[in-house]
Amino acid sequence: MNSRPSHGHLLIISHTPHYRRDGEIVGWGATVREIDYLATLFERVVHIAPLHADAAPASALPYQSSQVRLRPVAPGGGARLRDKLSIPLRYPGYARAILQERRAADVIHVRSPANISLLALMILAMLRGPQVRWAKYAGDWNRTGPEPWSYRFQRWWLAHGLHRGLVTVNGRWPNQASHIRSFLNPCLTEAELKEGADASRSKRLGKPVQLLFVGRLESAKGADVCVETVVHLKEAGVAARLDLIGEGEERRVLECKAIDLGVAESAKFHGGLPRERLGQFYARAHFILLPSESEGWPKVLSEAMAYGAVPMASAVSSIPQYLNAFSAGHAINSRDPHLFGSAIETYVGAPALWKEHSMNALKAAKQFSYDNYLRAVRKLLNLPLSLECDVADSAEPEFQGDA
């Protein structure tokens, strides 16, 4: 990780969950890794985010950078009605933390959508400083289906630039305003890219076909569709093995489903695992499955692609744009397991096509490196480039047909 001299103070406001584990603070692993890299660009980073009393998941990580300080706030929101009604009670504490910490900030970075980010965006509309403001919308920027009203409102607010700053989104959309920038979600170190490239060289599409799901074990993420896809392949005479990594309230239901459908031996549930243990699964996988109802651009696709796994995902948000640009995998316009199974069968009948898409995925994954991300953030925020930066690199996706 680069630790060159940095520029000013960064204030981050997000709903990233944090926990206490063995006397130290840990947070959602993917976000903690990203912030550790962001910290190399700044003298100090303050992160306002909720601190939960629950046990930390296996994927949670401590910050490695000494320049990062967590300003904890109380969690708010949830699935139950009483949890939703408690949100306004949290706002005074959120506002106090934001107003106190913003005084020393040179750059404010708000990660949306979330309840605390909604308040932060509204506060920014009333403040004169700091002038450098960057909002990241991590969800589906072009969502048309059901969703929380606050998500739709935050997109409207950001689209109209009422926070008076930049917005980064997944994908590229019609009539995209100049303050809205297409941006890639970073998730890969140079060491992980090398490890993935080494693993992919010897990978061939054989039997059984290795399928992988990484995420929350719930129907919204499509874990049930993955199990049913194994059933379809079995009925089609294609031997397949599915590894499911993650936790969720529906895990027991899904395990029973696999038993009832007769694929318990082919669908293995591993629970939540830390990032350093995922490499072996990515290296083994022929396909990464994500039949999700809603996404922005899921980092698990990028991580698996770095190991030559071919993505098979729902055609939501930016996923069809990216997979078409990368010529890798399929974005499927349904969460029907028969369609996912049929797409996999196509590759089984054409292993050379699978290998081509596997290599395309491997090549595309390089765009999701942290090094590429830091160069793009410097350009986005107009920070001075370090000597080793290649100004031609960018964290904007390389869409086919772009000028």
Side-chain angles (χ1 to χ4, degrees):
M1 190 182 300
N2 184 4
S3 59
R4 284 183 172 273
S6 44
H7 313 281
H9 293 184
L10 172 66
L11 172 61
I12 301 173
I13 303 161
S14 85
H15 71 303
T16 302
H18 288 74
Y19 311 86
R20 286 189 174 88
R21 179 202 286 155
D22 299 330
E24 68 177 346
I25 299 295
V26 297
W28 188 251
T31 303
V32 166
R33 277 164 48 111
E34 182 178 336
I35 291 175
D36 271 333
Y37 276 89
L38 270 179
T40 65
L41 302 181
F42 296 91
E43 296 171 12
R44 186 179 70 178
V45 176
V46 175
H47 188 187
I48 300 176
L51 180 62
H52 294 254
D54 306 332
S59 59
L61 295 172
Y63 291 101
Q64 297 300 310
S65 173
S66 61
Q67 293 153 242
V68 179
R69 173 173 66 85
L70 177 70
R71 170 71 184 262
V73 293
R80 298 173 301 180
L81 177 60
R82 69 178 183 180
D83 294 331
K84 297 182 186 300
L85 293 176
S86 71
I87 293 172
L89 301 178
R90 304 298 188 198
Y91 273 10
Y94 294 167
R96 183 165 54 253
I98 293 169
L99 292 173
Q100 288 176 350
E101 298 294 349
R102 70 98 186 175
R103 293 171 186 161
D106 299 291
V107 179
I108 291 186
H109 175 37
V110 181
R111 302 170 73 92
S112 297
N115 293 314
I116 191 171
S117 60
L118 170 61
L119 178 64
L121 294 174
M122 298 179 74
I123 288 176
L124 285 179
M126 298 181 287
L127 296 179
R128 298 182 62 181
Q131 294 185 358
V132 182
R133 303 157 180 216
W134 164 29
K136 171 182 177 178
Y137 192 86
D140 185 347
W141 185 251
N142 200 39
R143 177 78 172 174
T144 56
E147 64 177 339
W149 71 267
S150 63
Y151 288 17
R152 194 177 303 274
F153 180 75
Q154 285 174 70
R155 281 203 310 279
W156 177 87
W157 191 274
L158 292 170
H160 288 80
L162 299 181
H163 68 302
R164 294 183 291 162
L166 298 167
V167 183
T168 55
V169 301
N170 297 292
R172 188 162 297 159
W173 307 100
N175 303 315
Q176 188 166 305
S178 60
H179 73 283
I180 301 173
R181 311 291 176 83
S182 301
F183 222 66
L184 296 178
N185 288 326
C187 59
L188 293 160
T189 66
E190 296 304 310
E192 288 163 353
L193 285 169
K194 183 180 184 304
E195 178 183 275
D198 291 343
S200 66
R201 289 194 187 100
S202 59
K203 186 182 287 190
R204 297 290 183 271
L205 182 57
K207 295 182 180 179
V209 174
Q210 299 286 346
L211 311 177
L212 177 63
F213 171 87
V214 181
R216 294 193 307 274
L217 296 182
E218 60 184 21
S219 56
K221 285 291 184 182
D224 55 335
V225 178
C226 294
V227 173
E228 292 168 8
T229 297
V230 176
V231 176
H232 171 93
L233 292 171
K234 180 180 179 180
E235 293 173 347
V238 177
R241 175 187 172 87
L242 170 66
D243 290 306
L244 298 105
I245 298 175
E247 289 291 355
E249 295 180 356
E250 297 179 29
R251 174 173 177 171
R252 183 57 185 159
V253 172
L254 290 166
E255 289 174 331
C256 291
K257 186 183 188 73
I259 294 172
D260 293 342
L261 294 175
V263 294
E265 294 185 359
S266 302
K268 186 171 182 180
F269 294 80
H270 299 271
L273 297 176
R275 175 62 182 84
E276 62 267 20
R277 291 189 56 190
L278 296 184
Q280 60 183 304
F281 293 94
Y282 290 143
R284 187 166 63 214
H286 297 119
F287 299 95
I288 176 74
L289 306 184
L290 194 64
S292 184
E293 290 180 355
S294 178
E295 293 288 346
W297 170 261
K299 292 183 177 182
V300 295
L301 294 187
S302 310
E303 291 178 356
M305 287 164 57
Y307 291 76
V310 173
M312 313 292 285
S314 298
V316 295
S317 186
S318 62
I319 291 175
Q321 296 179 28
Y322 287 4
L323 297 190
N324 178 64
F326 301 152
S327 294
H330 282 281
I332 299 172
N333 286 310
S334 171
R335 300 174 75 233
D336 184 343
H338 298 289
L339 294 181
F340 275 81
S342 295
I344 293 170
E345 285 184 73
T346 299
Y347 284 108
V348 171
L353 176 64
W354 175 87
K355 188 62 178 179
E356 177 187 347
H357 280 208
S358 174
M359 291 295 98
N360 290 345
L362 176 66
K363 179 182 178 182
K366 297 175 183 178
Q367 298 183 54
F368 297 90
S369 73
Y370 290 111
D371 286 353
N372 190 40
Y373 173 66
L374 292 181
R375 287 187 284 265
V377 171
R378 286 179 182 275
K379 181 178 178 182
L380 178 77
L381 302 181
N382 198 28
L383 300 178
L385 293 174
S386 59
L387 293 177
E388 74 273 18
C389 282
D390 181 351
V391 295
D393 287 336
S394 170
E396 291 195 16
E398 296 177 1
F399 289 103
Q400 291 179 344
D402 280 356

